[in-house]
Amino acid sequence: RQMCIRDSGPSEAEEVEMVAGPLLQHLLNKGGRLILVSTHAEGPALAERLLAGLSGAGEGPERVVNLGYQPGQAVGVQGLLADLAGRTLYRSGQPAAQAAVMEGVRSARDVGLVIVLAGQVEDLRTWVEQVSARYPDLPVVAGVSARVEPIARPYLERTGAGVLKGLVAGLPGATVYQGFLGMEDEYARYYLQSLTLGQWAVAMLMVIGAVVFLVGGGKAR
């Protein structure tokens, strides 16, 4: 079983979904079961939208459960990690402990992997540090937006307990991961090409601006 934290607001949702999709599909393809939760109020609904496009996610509570919204930031995360079975299921309100996925799961100690999907720096920091503090031997991987990568990478490169064991960052990382898995996504490839062209356009504008500045300075002299 994998515990998946889906923490991103609407502004980062598209990029995080592109990163999260291949990660979660890979786990489902391997027979993994997912337990989802979010510290953003809109997170559970966004998670359902993401799952709707994944093969195997629609097989019901035997494969995936959504535990909904967890308020309270660090304090709330601590309580959640200690008592997963005490929650209720998103939408239905049924006790989580009754779901097939939750068999044998009482706390985060009973899951095999924690996956943090974050579009904001503070979300990544909260989950990585709380999980590593409470369960230092529990592996954590992350799928993050491009702007979070500079903060995430030191967690990956550090040695010792509680560091990230894997990282997929931004659309370029998601595209490479899809290629590794043999999962083609024409939309993501097109989006990446558009992003690359946009970056080249910005670079060219910067060069043109520098040239104009130098020429203008020459004329002034």
Side-chain angles (χ1 to χ4, degrees), residues 55-116:
S55 174
E59 297 177 18
E62 292 78 16
R63 298 294 303 278
V64 180
V65 292
N66 188 341
L67 301 187
Y69 167 55
Q70 172 60 56
Q73 294 302 317
V75 175
V77 169
Q78 290 176 15
L80 171 73
L81 293 171
D83 186 22
L84 289 172
R87 295 188 62 85
T88 57
L89 301 183
Y90 179 61
R91 293 197 187 279
S92 73
Q94 296 178 342
Q98 295 179 6
V101 175
M102 299 295 293
E103 183 179 355
V105 175
R106 296 199 58 82
S107 70
R109 187 190 302 276
D110 302 314
V111 304
L113 176 69
V114 171
I115 306 159
V116 181

Side-chain angles (χ1 to χ4, degrees), residues 11-12 14 18 23 29-30 41 57 65 72-73 84 114-115 127 131 135 144 146 160 162-163 179 199 205-207 211:
S11 60
E12 309 93 12
E14 185 174 14
M18 289 181 178
L23 270 171
N29 291 348
K30 292 291 185 180
V65 292
Q73 294 302 317
L84 289 172
V114 171
I115 306 159
W127 281 102
V131 172
Y135 303 111
V144 302
V163 300
Q199 290 173 336
L205 287 173
M206 291 175 64
V207 171
V211 171

Side-chain angles (χ1 to χ4, degrees), residues 33-46:
R33 292 181 284 173
L34 304 177
I35 301 168
L36 297 105
V37 69
S38 178
T39 55
H40 286 258
E42 66 276 9
L46 292 173

Side-chain angles (χ1 to χ4, degrees), residues 187-207:
Y187 177 71
R189 191 174 299 279
Y190 172 78
Y191 195 100
L192 179 59
Q193 290 172 347
S194 300
L195 180 63
T196 302
L197 288 173
Q199 290 173 336
W200 274 106
V202 170
M204 288 302 298
L205 287 173
M206 291 175 64
V207 171

